[in-house]
């Protein structure tokens, strides 16, 4: 199948390639209940050597620069308690961690979670974390610009491979909260 964005050799509906996904992502696809059918989410094989955004778009298509999103894990702290949250913003922006994210969590302090925490809690590879298949109960803060895209490129849970997801489907994820201005220049 031809990918709707980017220059990928093939795009495979995720229900047809669960073995390519890490366990939490594959399980989320098996249990998918969104209005957007799971077979509209596509998996594309990518080379981890080209993971850097600049090199990635040169190899897989310049249109991806404006159609890619990064998923980062943020730790919010208040009164000795830590809350983990995932933030999904366009790759041309950064998450407003100390403003909107901190306020959304009601935290006194917010910062990016350590690599060990992010990978340990999600079961995903660092650099491949995706909003699909995050732990139950996690808020997933999504910039509204991501949801507005017909398709957006996100991680697949591992460094090799990406998911192409209709933006509206991301808003249907468990714990999803769509926020205007989450991604800042």
């Amino acid at each position: 199948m031809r990918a709707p964005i980017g220059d990928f050799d093939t795009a495979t509906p995720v229900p047809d390639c669960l073995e390519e996904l890490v366990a939490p992502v594959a399980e989320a696809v098996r249990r998918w209940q969104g209005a957007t059918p799971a077979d509209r989410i596509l998996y594309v094989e990518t080379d981890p050597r080209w993971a850097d955004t600049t090199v990635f778009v040169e190899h897989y298509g310049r249109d991806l620069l404006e159609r890619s999103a990064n998923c980062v894990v943020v730790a919010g702290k208040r009164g000795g308690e830590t809350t983990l949250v995932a933030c999904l913003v366009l790759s041309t922006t950064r998450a407003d961690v100390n403003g909107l994210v901190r306020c959304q969590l009601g935290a006194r302090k917010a910062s990016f979670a350590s690599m060990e925490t992010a990978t340990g809690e999600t079961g995903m590879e660092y650099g491949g974390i995706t909003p699909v298949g995050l732990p139950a109960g996690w808020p997933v803060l999504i910039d509204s610009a991501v949801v507005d895209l017909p398709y957006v490129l996100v991680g697949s849970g591992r460094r090799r491979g990406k998911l192409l997801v209709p933006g509206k489907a991301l808003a249907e994820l468990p714990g999803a909260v769509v926020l205007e201005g989450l991604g800042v220049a």
Side-chain angles (χ1 to χ4, degrees), residues 105-128:
L105 292 175
R108 292 180 50 91
K109 180 182 178 189
S111 59
F112 294 107
S114 70
M115 180 172 58
E116 294 79 23
T117 298
T119 58
E121 293 291 327
T122 63
M124 300 177 197
E125 293 178 7
Y126 196 74

Side-chain angles (χ1 to χ4, degrees), residues 51-129:
D52 176 72
T53 302
T54 305
V55 176
F56 190 89
V57 299
E58 285 176 13
H59 189 77
Y60 293 111
R62 299 211 60 70
D63 66 318
L64 294 173
L65 186 60
E66 303 292 326
R67 298 175 184 183
S68 298
N70 293 326
C71 185
V72 295
V73 178
V74 174
K77 297 178 182 177
R78 182 175 187 90
E81 293 211 17
T82 300
T83 302
L84 297 175
V85 61
C87 299
L88 189 65
V89 297
L90 293 177
S91 62
T92 55
T93 65
R94 60 180 175 75
D96 184 10
V97 172
N98 288 308
L100 194 54
V101 175
R102 186 180 58 76
C103 290
Q104 186 73 24
L105 292 175
R108 292 180 50 91
K109 180 182 178 189
S111 59
F112 294 107
S114 70
M115 180 172 58
E116 294 79 23
T117 298
T119 58
E121 293 291 327
T122 63
M124 300 177 197
E125 293 178 7
Y126 196 74
I129 294 176

Side-chain angles (χ1 to χ4, degrees), residues 12 14 17-26 42-51 56 60 69-71 118-119 122-134 153-164:
T12 306
V14 291
C17 62
L18 295 176
E19 70 282 352
E20 298 295 330
L21 306 173
V22 296
V25 177
L42 306 172
Y43 174 81
V44 292
E45 187 77 20
T46 60
D47 189 324
R49 293 177 300 166
W50 298 317
F56 190 89
Y60 293 111
N70 293 326
C71 185
T119 58
T122 63
M124 300 177 197
E125 293 178 7
Y126 196 74
I129 294 176
T130 182
V132 178
L134 291 169
L153 178 116
V154 298
S156 68
R158 48 185 271 219
R159 290 186 58 80
R160 176 177 295 280
K162 300 284 185 183
L163 300 179
L164 303 177

